[in-house]
Amino acid sequence: STLQDVVAFGDAKTLVAHCEAEEITRNGNVANNVYAALILGHLLLGEQAKVQLVWKRIPPLQATGEIQILLDVTRRLLAHQPAVGLLTAQQFEPLLQPLIPTLIEKLKHDTMRRFERAFTTVKPDYLAPFLDMQPQAATEFACGAGWTVDAAEGLLIPPKARARKETVPRSQISSLITILSQLEK
């Protein structure tokens, strides 16, 4: 099967396996689109660390264009910086273009999960650049992912933060304080 067939199939694991086989059989004489597809496959699988290993195997003169953009996306992801905008601003070659919207949506949903774990509230202005959206669109996207809006404060509240707001009865608190004081002795 050709790289075009594998991309059309749309499975990231198959894409990575095909590109790695191409790299091995061509003994270092690999086309840029194979490296770009390999990096794209790893990003679709959420394997940013493996992208760094691929980057070390790419000859310096080949790390241009789409490869450089995908490497920049990886660096930003690893540094917890906005990365989606790099993908939306670039027109990729027709071979890889069908996978870009899938990667963008994956990165947006990964961002929402990461923010949900890290924050109890988020300003839409802070979230928006990570999704490559305007604050209002980011608010709508977050609400579609189960978040709520605190209209009084203008903050987004992730679903898990609402669950964390459950109160503990005073009787349990006094029991915990008693146990902790005994442990400290």
Side-chain angles (χ1 to χ4, degrees):
S1 64
T2 66
L3 181 57
Q4 186 172 4
D5 294 336
V6 174
V7 169
F9 183 62
D11 180 63
K13 286 184 180 181
T14 305
L15 179 62
V16 167
H18 178 83
C19 291
E20 287 176 343
E22 282 279 317
E23 186 180 20
I24 291 168
T25 57
R26 295 187 185 249
N27 198 20
N29 189 17
V30 180
N32 279 3
N33 64 358
V34 174
Y35 281 125
L38 180 57
I39 293 168
L40 189 54
H42 282 304
L43 287 173
L44 285 166
L45 293 171
E47 300 173 338
Q48 288 86 356
K50 289 186 179 180
V51 171
Q52 291 182 307
L53 298 174
V54 172
W55 172 73
K56 291 179 180 186
R57 298 191 312 252
I58 299 173
L61 296 176
Q62 283 186 261
T64 59
E66 294 171 340
I67 292 173
Q68 192 59 50
I69 290 165
L70 293 171
L71 292 173
D72 288 345
V73 166
T74 303
R75 286 185 198 105
R76 285 181 176 227
L77 291 172
L78 291 170
H80 302 289
Q81 297 174 345
V84 174
L86 291 176
L87 295 170
T88 57
Q90 175 68 27
Q91 182 64 36
F92 285 81
E93 71 172 86
L95 176 68
L96 301 177
Q97 188 60 42
L99 296 176
I100 299 301
T102 304
L103 178 59
I104 289 170
E105 284 306 305
K106 179 197 179 315
L107 294 179
K108 286 179 180 180
H109 289 285
D110 288 352
T111 296
M112 295 306 294
R113 280 192 297 276
R114 195 172 69 242
F115 271 63
E116 187 174 324
R117 286 191 310 268
F119 301 105
T120 55
T121 60
V122 178
K123 288 186 177 187
D125 292 344
Y126 183 74
L127 176 63
F130 285 90
L131 301 173
D132 193 39
M133 297 178 174
Q134 294 297 319
Q136 182 60 38
T139 299
E140 292 169 10
F141 186 81
C143 289
W147 291 45
T148 55
V149 178
D150 179 346
E153 298 293 325
L155 298 172
L156 296 167
I157 304 168
K160 289 184 179 177
R162 289 193 312 270
R164 285 184 238 147
K165 287 186 176 182
E166 296 176 10
T167 58
V168 178
R170 289 191 184 272
S171 60
Q172 286 182 347
I173 291 175
S174 64
S175 296
L176 289 171
I177 291 171
T178 304
I179 292 169
L180 287 173
S181 64
Q182 290 174 354
L183 288 173
E184 288 179 348
K185 292 180 181 180

